[in-house]
Amino acid sequence: MSNKFPECPECQSAYVYVDGEMLVCPECAHEWFEKPADSSDDTEVVRDANGNPLQDGDTVTVIKDLKVKGSSSVVKVGTRVKNIRLVDGDHDIDCKIDGIGAMKLKSQFVKKA
């Protein structure tokens, strides 16, 4: 079993655990906040069809008719989708579309409104 937490910076113990927002070493009682990974290098910017960066809460417009899998419904061109949420994966936008419900969209089929 691999430990997903870093070793204690004081005593290099591998038995580190989480207590709230802090990491704690049970051997030396050292407590510290975990430094976030280099978020500037690892974060992938999600971009729309025109290359504009998208963020959580943005409003986007669908640029192509999209068939809804498992239904005879279609999301029409020009449909505005408010308050999107970015997620990891192939379909990188979670949203709710009026009249259809919760959906996942690919960013290549939307443009920022």
Side-chain angles (χ1 to χ4, degrees):
M1 181 174 141
S2 66
N3 191 354
K4 62 182 177 180
F5 303 116
E7 292 181 345
C8 174
E10 295 291 319
C11 68
Q12 278 61 43
S13 171
Y15 301 109
V16 174
Y17 65 92
V18 175
D19 185 24
E21 295 180 0
M22 300 186 76
L23 296 174
V24 180
C25 175
E27 293 184 2
C28 70
H30 180 68
E31 297 180 355
W32 72 98
F33 287 103
E34 182 177 14
K35 295 178 185 171
D38 293 337
S39 58
S40 60
D41 296 336
D42 294 340
T43 57
E44 184 176 320
V45 177
V46 177
R47 298 187 181 274
D48 68 358
N50 295 331
N52 299 319
L54 296 173
Q55 296 178 348
D56 287 346
D58 281 347
T59 298
V60 295
T61 303
V62 177
I63 62 168
K64 176 183 176 184
D65 282 346
L66 301 173
K67 296 179 184 177
V68 178
K69 195 170 189 176
S71 174
S72 61
S73 301
V74 175
V75 179
K76 296 286 188 179
V77 171
T79 302
R80 291 180 64 100
V81 181
K82 298 178 185 175
N83 199 18
I84 64 170
R85 186 173 62 239
L86 301 178
V87 295
D88 291 332
D90 187 30
H91 292 75
D92 44 13
I93 298 174
D94 267 350
C95 61
K96 286 186 181 177
I97 298 177
D98 293 336
I100 295 176
M103 287 199 63
K104 292 189 176 208
L105 299 173
K106 290 186 178 183
S107 58
Q108 66 193 24
F109 298 123
V110 299
K111 67 178 181 178
K112 196 169 187 176

